Amino acid sequence: MELSRRHALGLLGLGTATVALSGCAGSGGGSSSGGQEASGPLQFWSNHPASSKSLEQKLIDAWNSANPDTPAELIDGGADYEEVAQKVNAALAGGDLPDVFVASDVNWFNFALNEAVTPLDDLWQKAGIDSSTYVDTLREDYNFNDKHYCAPYARSTCIMYFNKDMMQKAGLPLDRGPRTWDEFAQWAPQLVKANGGKPALILPDGANYMDWYFQGMIWTFGGAYSRDWTATFTEENSIKAGEYLKKHVAEGHIKIVQDGANDFGIGNGAALLESTGSLGGLKEAATFDFYTTYLPGPKPGCATGGAGLAIPNGISDERKLTAAKFIDFMTNTDNTITFTQATGYMPVRKDAMDKPEEKKFLDENPNAMTAIKQLNENTQPQDAARVFVSGGGQRIGGALDRITFGGEDVKTVFQQLQDETQKIIDSDIKPKL
């Protein structure tokens, strides 16, 4: 049986409250000695997903206006999710903790395993917050041992973006993407030839989440990063997916870059595989018409991702309750509509889709509907080797860089990846189950 996120975390919860995993895991407990002073403003540490700093500040200003006795302050937590996690870890080791911080899909559970973040369920009840109003799939991504350790915030799936002009030059459909990666292989030479040698697809590199984007591709080949607690990089179908990626990079069909959204936005490729969180920026920056689609199948061909909001365990109970109310405000129906319309992320409240302003927006911006529909039709939870095994995403991304940029042998690199991943599972996780 394939291991679901909730099943995996439930297993890990059996006597593993103080699991010591390397990487981004927090090590804090329940002491309040490292927290902010009771009278100080609530501190929200964020990397401002999808360049949302000014938008986050506007939402915080609205909170402060409505809650003058418990004001909040926006703090730069780092340039990306990893830097936020590192800053929180440093605070856990000694220093002032945030009251709320952005926690990504690959680092929230390590904080939960080490009891460094607070379960939200009791806080929701005390504050009168109805957690059932969150989109079920997104809320349950943070369920560990029947408790929820984050609230959904900047949630995403991967999607594909297509330059209409380039697709038209190649004589290809303007209303869909390739149904399978085999069909992409048929389209790619036409796109390159019709557009002066520009690549058919732009893909971010291993330092910029190629491990997340490639996860859907490996599934469609019948492979996986792992099944339950067994790494599966060396399965035949996993190797086939890696060979496919390497081949199309070598042939100039796929270009690996540091900033995929920027390259696509200035017209350097016919298509882009990126987060839906890039949609808002591309709407502003691209000088051409584009449309978005699901990732190629067969289904499921895409993983969920993005980030939630967490509360450290080492602050006072009073501040925790205020922090829970602040998170509820930041993610309420009106604010998730405002945030997602500006960025491209998915609304995290169920009733957002019923609001006239959201219906109107989606009618006028069909590209924004792609990720919302794909969530239920073409996604599945991520493989343990990426999100449960400490450092998994970075390890996989580095391996993908080696076979693409470096041109190294896929079987050799994936065997090393297999051995490294399984060693960590066997030494750091299995003994604790």
Side-chain angles (χ1 to χ4, degrees):
M1 181 178 70
E2 186 168 324
L3 185 68
S4 71
R5 170 172 294 194
R6 292 187 294 279
H7 183 200
L9 292 177
L11 288 174
L12 278 173
L14 299 176
T16 63
T18 57
V19 172
L21 298 183
S22 62
C24 62
S27 58
S31 171
S32 61
S33 59
Q36 303 295 320
E37 293 185 10
S39 60
L42 203 74
Q43 287 205 359
F44 173 37
W45 289 8
S46 177
N47 63 306
H48 322 302
S51 302
S52 59
K53 183 175 181 178
S54 61
L55 177 58
E56 287 180 327
Q57 187 60 59
K58 288 180 181 179
L59 298 181
I60 290 173
D61 289 344
W63 163 268
N64 291 344
S65 178
N67 300 273
D69 294 334
T70 54
E73 182 180 11
L74 181 61
I75 303 295
D76 285 323
D80 54 32
Y81 297 137
E82 286 68 34
E83 288 189 8
V84 175
Q86 291 164 10
K87 185 173 181 178
V88 172
N89 269 315
L92 289 166
D96 286 341
L97 290 167
D99 297 283
V100 177
F101 68 95
V102 173
S104 84
D105 56 345
V106 297
N107 60 47
W108 74 268
F109 65 90
N110 258 342
F111 288 115
L113 285 171
N114 288 280
E115 297 185 316
V117 290
T118 301
L120 298 178
D121 305 80
D122 288 345
L123 294 173
W124 283 336
Q125 185 174 6
K126 289 178 182 177
I129 295 167
D130 184 2
S131 64
S132 70
T133 61
Y134 285 109
V135 175
D136 293 340
T137 300
L138 304 181
R139 183 191 63 247
E140 292 310 302
D141 274 344
Y142 305 111
N143 187 337
F144 163 33
N145 213 19
D146 294 328
K147 296 179 180 179
H148 299 82
Y149 286 83
C150 285
Y153 177 52
R155 293 305 309 273
S156 59
T157 70
C158 316
I159 58 175
M160 294 188 80
Y161 300 76
F162 290 90
N163 182 316
K164 285 187 177 180
D165 293 339
M166 291 188 179
M167 293 291 285
Q168 187 171 34
K169 287 180 181 178
L172 292 170
L174 300 180
D175 58 353
R176 71 175 181 90
R179 294 188 175 93
T180 65
W181 286 106
D182 284 342
E183 186 172 39
F184 170 81
Q186 297 168 15
W187 287 12
Q190 298 172 245
L191 284 165
V192 172
K193 183 178 179 180
N195 292 289
K198 292 181 178 179
L201 177 65
I202 294 171
L203 186 62
D205 63 21
N208 290 281
Y209 307 112
M210 179 162 43
D211 49 290
W212 181 46
Y213 303 122
F214 181 69
Q215 192 165 198
M217 184 186 293
I218 202 171
W219 290 341
T220 66
F221 278 77
Y225 292 157
S226 58
R227 304 182 195 281
D228 289 353
W229 293 114
T230 301
T232 54
F233 298 101
T234 54
E235 284 187 355
E236 181 181 356
N237 289 331
S238 299
I239 296 293
K240 283 182 179 178
E243 295 283 10
Y244 178 96
L245 177 65
K246 179 182 177 180
K247 174 179 181 288
H248 286 283
V249 170
E251 292 179 353
H253 299 157
I254 299 176
K255 181 182 179 182
I256 309 294
V257 300
Q258 182 177 11
D259 188 340
N262 179 69
D263 256 45
F264 177 74
I266 60 177
N268 282 348
L272 169 70
L273 202 172
E274 252 279 10
S275 169
T276 186
S278 294
L279 179 58
L282 281 169
K283 279 175 59 180
E284 297 295 327
T287 58
F288 51 84
D289 289 336
F290 65 86
Y291 63 95
T292 63
T293 73
Y294 292 7
L295 267 62
K299 299 176 182 179
C302 181
T304 56
L309 299 180
I311 299 172
N313 211 14
I315 62 175
S316 70
D317 290 344
E318 180 183 0
R319 293 187 74 93
K320 288 178 184 178
L321 187 60
T322 303
K325 294 175 181 178
F326 173 78
I327 290 174
D328 182 57
F329 175 85
M330 291 291 288
T331 61
N332 69 25
T333 302
D334 289 340
N335 287 338
T336 194
I337 288 173
T338 299
F339 185 79
T340 57
Q341 287 185 3
T343 60
Y345 287 108
M346 296 182 290
V348 301
R349 299 283 187 164
K350 294 174 183 175
D351 63 348
M353 302 299 293
D354 299 326
K355 295 290 184 177
E357 63 268 34
E358 182 71 353
K359 290 181 178 179
K360 181 175 184 292
F361 175 81
L362 293 173
D363 286 343
E364 296 173 351
N365 298 273
N367 284 334
M369 193 67 185
T370 301
I372 296 171
K373 293 174 63 178
Q374 182 176 231
L375 177 65
N376 295 320
E377 296 180 9
N378 191 40
T379 65
Q380 70 179 17
Q382 298 189 53
D383 292 338
R386 180 174 187 265
V387 293
F388 297 151
V389 179
S390 184
Q394 293 174 325
R395 192 176 301 109
I396 297 166
L400 296 175
D401 278 345
R402 288 173 61 189
I403 67 172
T404 53
F405 286 128
E408 294 186 43
D409 178 68
V410 174
K411 288 185 178 180
T412 300
V413 172
F414 277 23
Q415 182 65 63
Q416 293 174 1
L417 184 58
Q418 171 85 14
D419 294 343
E420 291 170 2
T421 303
Q422 195 62 53
K423 182 178 179 180
I424 294 172
I425 291 173
D426 292 342
S427 63
D428 292 354
I429 297 177
K430 283 188 174 180
K432 309 294 183 179
L433 297 180

